[in-house]
């Protein structure tokens, strides 16, 4: 723990010296939640990750990741490797998102802290308030704040698992709305920026219903980016490729900057 603590303190201090503004010393926290495409499967073929990290997703001393044991460490893909442990993780949108924010304005964003919480194959019912995934996400979010940060946004990419049964698909809109409202209430951030991704296709038959629910959910400071047309990985064509994840990260950062948020003004 000690070396980690020292290097982290050093990181904060050195960043504070460099940027010298109000954001210095505070970690700007983003929660990453949902299922496999948020967790990241870019470059995973036949249960093996190819290890390729594109420059847009590379590590940067100003990007941290909250580990499963709740410590901040320098972030590197795969961001979910100690969170989504039942699956082989690859590249997701998180690092590209954070790098993109820092490229736009490194002074304003200071240190970005990513809090990975996504788990592959999960349906929205499993993310209900009181359920394990929801409570785990809240614990991690609160630990992140306790470690010196301010929550700036939620990135959400989920829904594939709710395209299989008609009943689930029809309940999706209400469940999604409830989820966003509960997260904001429990974090005491009524206008927390939420950036969600609309699914392009799915293995279930009811993709259109879920997609309409996503695109039709209107809340202040909620933005939706559309994954339609993004490249999917062979042979299963179930997950975004690494280049698609890089593009998605940039889209998420652009959408975040369009929300009204202390950091984006
Ligand atoms: C993955 O497995 C399939 C079927 O076993 C094989 O045809 C393909 O070459 C493998 N691809 C890679 C990248 O290993
Ligand atoms: C927490 O996780 C980090 C990174 O995985 C590791 O370096 C560190 O030793 C762990 N700390 C504890 C207290 O387990
Ligand atoms: C959601 O997933 C869980 C775990 O796989 C399953 O037990 C449950 O039946 C699913 N719920 C719905 C509404 O599909
Ligand atoms: C991953 O995202 C793509 C694009 O939206 C979608 O077609 C696919 O169904 C998703 N896969 C999973 C498992 O969520």
């Amino acid at each position: 723990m000690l070396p980690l603590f020292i290097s982290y303190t050093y990181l904060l201090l050195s960043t504070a010296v460099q940027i010298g503004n109000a954001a210095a010393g505070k970690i700007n926290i983003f929660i990453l939640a949902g299922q496999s495409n948020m967790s990241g499967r870019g470059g995973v073929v036949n249960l093996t990750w190819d290890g390729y990290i594109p420059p847009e997703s590379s590590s940067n001393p100003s990007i941290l990741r909250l580990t499963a044991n709740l410590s901040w460490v320098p972030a590197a893909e795969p961001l979910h490797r100690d969170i989504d442990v039942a699956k082989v993780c690859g590249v997701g949108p998180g690092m590209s998102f954070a790098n993109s924010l820092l490229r736009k304005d490194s002074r304003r964003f200071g240190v970005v802290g990513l809090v990975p919480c996504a788990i592959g194959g999960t349906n929205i019912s499993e993310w209900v308030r009181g359920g394990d995934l929801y409570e785990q996400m809240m614990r991690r979010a609160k630990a992140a704040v306790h470690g010196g940060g301010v929550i700036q946004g939620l990135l959400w990419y989920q829904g594939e698992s709710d395209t299989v049964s008609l009943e689930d698909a029809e309940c999706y809109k209400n469940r999604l709305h409830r989820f966003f409202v509960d997260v904001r209430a429990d974090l005491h951030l009524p206008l927390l920026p939420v950036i969600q991704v609309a699914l392009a296709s799915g293995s279930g038959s009811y993709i259109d219903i879920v997609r309409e629910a996503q695109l039709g959910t209107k809340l202040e400071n909620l933005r939706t980016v559309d994954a339609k047309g993004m490249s999917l990985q062979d042979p299963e064509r179930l997950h975004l490729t690494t280049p698609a994840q890089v593009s998605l990260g940039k889209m998420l950062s652009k959408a975040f900057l369009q929300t009204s948020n202390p950091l984006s003004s």
Side-chain angles (χ1 to χ4, degrees), residues 100-216:
S100 170
L101 287 183
L102 290 169
R103 264 199 312 276
K104 289 200 173 100
D105 196 335
S106 63
R107 282 173 59 90
R108 199 197 304 165
F109 290 101
V111 177
V112 175
L114 301 173
V115 180
C117 300
I119 305 284
T122 51
N123 60 41
I124 189 112
S125 307
E126 294 179 86
W127 286 92
V128 72
R129 178 195 250 165
D132 290 349
L133 294 176
Y134 184 92
E135 297 307 321
Q136 171 74 349
M137 175 177 69
M138 284 300 150
R139 265 193 301 280
R140 290 177 55 70
K142 286 170 185 167
V145 171
H146 193 68
V150 178
I151 299 179
Q152 303 293 356
L154 165 69
L155 309 183
W156 174 250
Y157 192 173
Q158 194 276 334
E160 214 272 339
S161 292
D162 296 84
T163 64
V164 181
S165 100
L166 178 59
E167 199 203 327
D168 284 352
E170 285 179 337
C171 292
Y172 195 77
K173 190 164 186 192
N174 280 337
R175 288 172 176 162
L176 183 67
H177 186 267
R178 182 83 255 156
F179 173 76
F180 293 149
V181 168
D182 286 345
V183 169
R184 285 174 164 181
D186 291 341
L187 293 175
H188 308 293
L189 296 169
L191 288 179
L192 175 72
V194 176
I195 318 301
Q196 65 160 343
V197 186
L199 280 177
S201 60
S203 49
S205 321
Y206 303 108
I207 177 72
D208 290 340
I209 301 178
V210 170
R211 200 176 138 77
E212 272 168 33
Q214 293 170 326
L215 294 170

Side-chain angles (χ1 to χ4, degrees), residues 50-68:
D50 63 11
Y52 175 64
I53 297 176
E56 294 95 329
S57 303
S58 60
S59 296
N60 176 319
S62 298
I63 308 175
L64 304 177
R65 175 181 87 90
L66 194 76
T67 64

